[in-house]
Amino acid sequence: MRARRLTRALLACGAAAPALFILVFLLDGATRAGYDPTYHPVSALSLGERGWLQIANFVLTGLLLLAFAVGIRRALHPGSAGTWGPVAVAVFGLGLLLSGTFVMDPMRGYPPGTSRDGGTDPSWHHMLHDNLGLVVFLSVPLACVVLARRSLGRPGGRGWAAYDLLSGVAGLGLLVAFGTAWEVDHRSAGLIQRAMILVDWAWVTVLALRLLIELRSSVGRSAAPTGRAGRSVDLGGGSAGRASLSTARHRTAQRQVTRWWHLGRSKP
C-alpha cells in the first residue's frame, strides 16, 4: 500500500509541474516592465532584478519532472515503455533544471537598455542554455513516440496513440518554427515558443493523469472478491493462491478418508 501511495505521489508531480511552470511565466511576464511575451522568450525572464523567480521556476519544475520520471518507471517497468519513457522524461526534467542554472545573455532589448543583438559574443553559459533548450524540446516528442507504442498495445489505445503522435509532431513542428523565427528576429518568436510549451506541457499533464487513472483501476482489479462467510477467494493464480488451494484439497481428502474408515468399522 505504501508503495502505491508513493507511486501515486510521484505521478502527481507530473500533473502539477506543467501548471506551475506555465502559471509562473505567464504572471511574471505580464507584469515585467519592458518585457513583451509575444516577442521575448520565456528564458529572458531569468534576467533582471526579478530573474530569480524564473530561475526557481526552471529548477523546481525540473525537480518535479525528475520525480515524475521515477513514478513512470515504478508504474510501467518492466512493461512497455517502462525504460525509455522514464528516461525521456528524466532528460526533459534535467534539461529544465540546468536551464535555470545556466541563464541566457541579455539581448533583443531585454532587460530594458540592452541592445537588440546583445552587443557582444554569446557567453559560454548562454550557448549552454541554448543547447539545453534543444534537448528539452526534443525529449518531449521522443517521449510521445515511446508512449504511443505503449498506447497501441493497450485495449482501446488507438485514440491515445494518435494523441501521443500528434503531440510529438506538433511539438517538433513548433520547435522548427520557433528556431526559424528566433534566427530572423521575428516579432512573434515569443508567441510561437509559448504555443510549443503549451503543446508539450499539456501532453505531460495528460500522461500523468492517464497513469494515475490506470494505477487506481489496477488497484480495483487486484482487490480479491470474497466468498461465503467473508473468506477471500484468490483468483490471481499466484504461488500463495496455489498453496492455499493445495492445502484445502489435502484437508478435503483427509476428511473423506476418515469418513470411509468410520463407515467400514460400523459394518457387521
Side-chain angles (χ1 to χ4, degrees), residues 20-21 52-66 93-102:
L20 170 69
F21 187 81
W52 63 269
L53 182 58
Q54 181 57 34
I55 291 174
N57 194 25
F58 273 126
V59 172
L60 181 56
T61 303
L63 290 173
L64 288 172
L65 288 170
L66 287 172
L94 184 61
L96 278 176
L97 190 156
L98 294 176
S99 294
T101 306
F102 305 101

Side-chain angles (χ1 to χ4, degrees), residues 7-258:
T7 302
R8 190 159 49 240
L10 292 170
L11 293 176
C13 290
L20 170 69
F21 187 81
I22 292 174
L23 181 64
V24 170
F25 81 67
L26 284 179
L27 292 177
D28 192 24
T31 56
R32 288 276 193 111
Y35 183 84
D36 182 0
T38 65
Y39 175 59
H40 295 118
V42 171
S43 295
L45 291 171
S46 298
L47 306 171
E49 294 182 359
R50 220 160 70 191
W52 63 269
L53 182 58
Q54 181 57 34
I55 291 174
N57 194 25
F58 273 126
V59 172
L60 181 56
T61 303
L63 290 173
L64 288 172
L65 288 170
L66 287 172
F68 179 44
V70 175
I72 295 175
R73 180 171 175 81
R74 290 172 64 91
L76 301 185
H77 192 78
S80 177
T83 298
W84 291 109
V87 168
V89 174
V91 170
F92 177 37
L94 184 61
L96 278 176
L97 190 156
L98 294 176
S99 294
T101 306
F102 305 101
V103 299
M104 66 177 290
D105 291 339
M107 59 175 54
R108 307 285 170 95
Y110 191 83
T114 305
S115 63
R116 300 279 294 183
D117 59 0
T120 60
D121 293 332
S123 65
W124 64 270
H125 55 81
H126 176 90
M127 296 177 65
L128 184 55
H129 182 91
D130 274 357
N131 289 324
L132 286 168
L134 189 62
V135 170
V136 165
F137 291 114
L138 285 176
S139 61
V140 178
L142 174 62
C144 290
V145 173
V146 173
L147 271 297
R149 292 186 60 188
R150 175 181 180 270
S151 297
L152 281 174
R154 296 178 61 80
R158 289 188 177 182
W160 284 119
Y163 170 69
D164 295 334
L165 291 175
L166 285 173
S167 296
V169 171
L172 283 175
L174 288 166
L175 175 61
V176 173
F178 169 67
T180 303
W182 178 259
E183 290 300 320
V184 301
D185 196 19
H186 195 278
R187 295 300 307 176
S188 298
L191 188 61
I192 296 172
Q193 188 196 43
R194 281 158 175 76
M196 175 174 59
I197 290 173
L198 182 61
V199 169
D200 289 346
W201 268 243
W203 180 83
V204 172
T205 302
V206 171
L207 173 63
L209 295 176
R210 284 164 57 188
L211 294 178
L212 282 168
I213 293 172
E214 289 178 13
L215 184 64
R216 175 180 290 184
S217 299
S218 68
V219 172
R221 288 194 300 268
S222 63
T226 56
R228 288 184 300 177
R231 286 192 290 268
S232 176
V233 179
D234 179 41
L235 300 178
S239 58
R242 289 193 295 270
S244 299
L245 182 60
S246 176
T247 302
R249 287 175 175 172
H250 179 68
R251 289 176 179 173
T252 301
Q254 282 184 325
R255 287 195 295 268
Q256 190 68 33
V257 170
T258 302

